[in-house]
Amino acid sequence: MKYNVILIGSGFGSLTAAALLAKRGMKVCVLEQAKYPGGCASSYKRKGYWFETGATTLVGLDEHMPLHYLLKETGIQVPFRRLETPMQVHLPDGQLVTRFQKLDEWIGEAERVFGKGRQRDFWEHCFKISQEVWRTSLEQRSFPFSNPKDVWQGVQHTRPRQLRLLPGAFRTMEDLLRRYGLLENRLFVGFVNEQLLITAQNHMEEVNELFGATALCYTLYGNYYVDGGLIRLARAIEQYLTSKGSSIRYRHAVKSVNATAEGYDVTTGAGTFQCRFVISGIPLNNTHELFRDEHLKSKLRRYTLPSEKLNGAFTMGFVIKNRFRQSVLHHQVHVPEGLPIIGSKSFFVSFSHPNDTERAPSGHTVVAVSTHVSDPEHSVIYDKKPLVEAILALMEKEKLLQREDILYLDSATPGAWIFWTQRAFGMVGGYPQYRHIKPWQMKDARLDHKGAYICGDTVYPGQGIVGTCLSGIIAVHKLLQDHF
């Protein structure tokens, strides 16, 4: 069957690109190896409950942000619940930090917990940077540049305020803390490092100021919850595609992509599909293996990262009886001594909304726990019990649950992620930020400069639903710029 565009994988970058292309009247087909859409921003059903696959937080609906742009362009509507309080952080000294959304409230809380010092100056600077980063990201859709037309369009859309961001690409978050006299505050340094892991996948000495400031400030924007789980957002995009004459084909794992005179042959276990253009929404580590062109494979391999520079995850999903209503759904618990086996110094907890009866019946709550596993290829977890016990004990200590309320519990290692998602090494969260890789050095959306493109969390701009959404927007922009 012939399509205008085939997208590999139904992660949020792919879904974004598919929706925007379908809006332009193109016949689009998304090939997905699983039975649900959404990739690492989806949900799955087990024992009658809906668990999140990976991502549990949702931002990007504010003006000048990618998800807002996508929904405005397509008219897709999803009933979101705005969270009054985005997150709480449980520090190693026993203090509880509430990450308020309003900047002044958050600065007051940061000063209360970490001491005044120059907290206000630091957070006002970070928030200003984050606002400009998001605004610029939609204005500069040709970035990163990979041909003369990109450069020309970049120049045309350059504004003086954008140029003020440039020094931030050469400074790390460690430099920024030093600038504001906060580097000797060990409690604050630990807080910053574990918060950066959530969205930048790395610590302050590696994360540049542009990504780091934006990552730290994601709680200062609208944070949302979707009843039924994030799969509901993916399903809404799927319905939009169907209404435009396009589709998602499940249980279609792509085996190879071969360039032809008229476009590409994309082969799955179920057959071969023809298309004029192809967009990969799976990681670079997986993408470069699909192409038969050895020169292209070699070229793309230079952008891939080995397991030693990536993160996997240990995850837990369980159901508890509602002994009390959670007023804050998302929590990060710091573990300065490190968790058993893997050594992670924090874990993230998300509760389903107490009024969401789509994920669990009234009186029950679905809980998701995740923590980083560095170098997942070589971090084999043979016995999960000590890790599970340590996390449950800490959650009890922090009054996030009582063990006798648990009705069901399951856990998974990076090996399970390989099985579920087919992502190389069981990688989660995309490529971590590294100081030696500047934003303009990240892989841009073009794969072969003919008709193959890429989006997702291993190319610019990287992690999170909002980042992969932007990558899908950029891929579409470059495809249309190149060929229409």
Side-chain angles (χ1 to χ4, degrees), residues 304-330:
T304 63
L305 293 180
S307 173
E308 292 83 357
K309 291 184 174 292
L310 301 174
N311 293 308
F314 177 79
T315 60
M316 294 168 58
F318 49 98
V319 181
I320 59 174
K321 292 183 291 187
N322 289 352
R323 187 180 294 265
F324 59 91
R325 292 168 67 94
Q326 284 288 345
S327 58
V328 179
L329 301 187
H330 303 301

Side-chain angles (χ1 to χ4, degrees), residues 42-245:
S42 185
S43 314
Y44 65 93
K45 193 173 187 180
R46 183 167 293 171
K47 303 293 184 180
Y49 301 96
W50 282 95
F51 296 89
E52 300 291 27
T53 302
T56 58
T57 60
L58 182 63
V59 297
L61 289 165
D62 298 68
E63 191 175 2
H64 303 306
M65 295 183 79
L67 191 53
H68 177 272
Y69 171 85
L70 171 66
L71 299 184
K72 183 178 179 181
E73 284 290 303
T74 58
I76 294 171
Q77 295 184 346
V78 179
F80 300 109
R81 292 182 186 268
R82 185 165 186 147
L83 301 181
E84 184 176 339
T85 304
M87 184 200 307
Q88 288 183 320
V89 181
H90 303 249
L91 295 175
D93 66 352
Q95 292 190 83
L96 181 65
V97 184
T98 300
R99 294 227 54 183
F100 296 106
Q101 185 192 326
K102 293 182 179 178
L103 180 60
D104 278 341
E105 281 188 82
W106 163 240
I107 291 174
E109 177 76 343
E111 291 177 335
R112 178 187 71 81
V113 174
F114 303 112
K116 282 197 173 182
R118 297 188 67 189
Q119 287 283 336
R120 175 169 292 278
D121 294 338
F122 174 82
W123 288 105
E124 286 180 345
H125 175 83
C126 286
F127 188 56
K128 184 178 180 181
I129 290 290
S130 72
Q131 288 180 306
E132 193 54 56
V133 164
W134 286 124
R135 185 172 180 179
T136 299
S137 68
L138 284 176
E139 293 172 337
Q140 290 285 1
R141 293 178 217 169
S142 295
F143 187 85
F145 307 142
S146 63
N147 69 19
K149 190 179 288 187
D150 282 348
V151 176
W152 174 239
Q153 288 209 353
V155 170
Q156 287 183 307
H157 290 92
T158 296
R159 304 291 181 268
R161 55 181 170 73
Q162 296 172 2
L163 298 177
R164 291 195 289 268
L165 292 174
L166 188 60
F170 296 93
R171 295 191 293 254
T172 67
M173 289 304 293
E174 183 178 42
D175 296 331
L176 193 62
L177 263 70
R178 184 180 293 109
R179 172 182 171 185
Y180 287 102
L182 298 170
L183 200 56
E184 301 306 314
N185 187 332
R186 303 318 300 168
L187 187 64
F188 185 63
V189 167
F191 167 80
V192 167
N193 272 333
E194 297 310 306
Q195 288 280 283
L196 285 174
L197 268 182
I198 296 174
T199 46
Q201 300 291 313
N202 218 331
H203 290 140
M204 64 180 186
E205 63 272 13
E206 291 289 352
V207 181
N208 72 53
E209 181 183 318
L210 298 184
F211 280 99
T214 306
L216 285 183
C217 288
Y218 87 93
T219 52
L220 299 176
Y221 294 88
N223 281 241
Y224 294 86
Y225 178 89
V226 187
D227 281 16
L230 287 173
I231 194 171
R232 189 164 181 181
L233 178 57
R235 290 290 193 199
I237 298 176
E238 180 181 30
Q239 291 170 7
Y240 178 82
L241 292 176
T242 301
S243 73
K244 297 294 184 180

